[in-house]
C-alpha cells in the first residue's frame, strides 16, 4: 500500500538560499522539496510539501495530515523553541513526526538548545543541512520496512 509523507517547513524557511548561506546553506526550499521527491521516487511513497510562517497554519497542516499522511518530516524553525501549540498538535495527530534542523541547534545559542517538540517526535535530526531531510525520510522508510534495517 502506498505510504504518504508530509514535508512541512516552518517560518522563514521560504528564504532559504537567499540569505545567511553560511548558516543555512545555499540550497533553496524548492531544491529541498525536489531532492525529497527524487529520493522517494524509488519507493511506493507519495510526498506533499507545505511551508508557512504562521504557527496556527502549521497546526492546521498537522491536523489535516491526520486524514491522509502516514508520517511527517517537520522543520518547525524558531517555533521549535517556543510552541506548545505545535507540541500538542503533534501529540494529537498520532502520526510519527521527525523534527529536522538544517543547522546544529545544539552548537548555537542556548535558546536553540531546547525543543518543545523533540520529546513528542519520533526523533530529531540536526546539523546535516538539506541532507537531514533525506535522513528523516529514510528513518520513515525503515520504520515501514521499505528500506532494510
Ligand atoms: O536549523 C534550522 O533548520 C532551524 O530550524 C532554522 C530556524 C531557527 O530558528 C532554528 O533555531 C533552527 C531559522 C530559519 C531561518 O531561515 C532562514 C533562511 C534563510 C535566511 C534567513 C533565515
Amino acid at each position: 500500500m502506498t505510504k504518504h509523507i508530509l514535508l512541512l517547513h516552518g517560518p522563514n524557511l521560504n528564504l532559504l538560499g537567499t540569505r545567511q548561506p553560511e548558516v543555512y546553506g545555499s540550497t533553496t526550499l524548492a531544491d529541498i522539496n525536489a531532492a525529497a521527491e527524487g529520493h522517494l521516487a524509488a519507493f511506493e511513497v507519495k510526498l506533499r510539501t507545505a511551508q508557512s510562517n504562521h504557527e496556527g497554519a502549521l497546526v492546521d497542516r498537522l491536523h489535516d495530515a491526520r486524514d491522509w499522511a502516514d508520517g511527517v518530516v517537520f522543520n518547525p524553525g524558531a517555533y521549535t523553541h517556543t510552541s506548545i501549540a505545535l507540541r500538542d498538535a503533534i501529540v494529537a495527530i498520532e502520526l510519527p513526526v521527525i523534527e529536522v534542523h538544517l543547522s546544529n541547534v545544539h552548537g548555537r545559542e542556548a535558546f536553540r538548545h531546547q525543543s518543545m517538540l523533540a520529546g513528542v517526535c519520533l526523533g530529531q535530526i540536526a546539523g546535516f543541512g538539506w541532507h537531514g531531510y533525506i535522513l528523516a525520510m529514510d528513518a520513515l522508510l525503515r520504520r515501514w520496512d521499505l528500506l532494510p534495517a
Side-chain angles (χ1 to χ4, degrees):
M1 237 216 336
T2 303
K3 296 283 191 187
H4 295 86
I5 296 177
L6 170 63
L7 174 54
L8 185 58
H9 308 278
N12 295 308
L13 291 163
N14 54 310
L15 298 178
L16 276 179
T18 66
R19 291 182 173 74
Q20 289 183 262
E22 67 287 357
V23 184
Y24 299 117
S26 52
T27 310
T28 66
L29 200 62
D31 292 336
I32 289 171
N33 289 341
E37 187 81 55
H39 186 66
L40 293 176
F43 302 92
E44 216 182 309
V45 177
K46 291 217 163 101
L47 183 73
R48 290 192 207 174
T49 64
Q51 187 275 333
S52 178
N53 294 319
H54 304 279
E55 188 176 14
L58 293 165
V59 170
D60 288 342
R61 288 288 188 176
L62 290 168
H63 288 182
D64 177 69
R66 197 179 33 175
D67 295 332
W68 60 268
D70 300 289
V72 180
V73 174
F74 187 19
N75 185 342
Y79 289 137
T80 304
H81 317 296
T82 61
S83 180
I84 296 169
L86 286 173
R87 181 187 175 97
D88 289 346
I90 290 168
V91 172
I93 63 174
E94 296 181 337
L95 289 173
V97 178
I98 302 184
E99 182 183 311
V100 174
H101 298 288
L102 293 153
S103 63
N104 180 3
V105 284
H106 303 288
R108 300 182 63 193
E109 303 96 322
F111 64 83
R112 294 187 206 273
H113 298 179
Q114 188 188 13
S115 169
M116 301 303 280
L117 313 181
V120 294
C121 289
L122 198 57
Q124 184 197 59
I125 295 169
F128 298 101
W130 67 269
H131 190 238
Y133 296 94
I134 305 298
L135 295 172
M137 305 273 163
D138 281 354
L140 289 175
L141 294 174
R142 282 182 67 157
R143 186 180 170 86
W144 297 328
D145 291 325
L146 296 174
L147 269 183

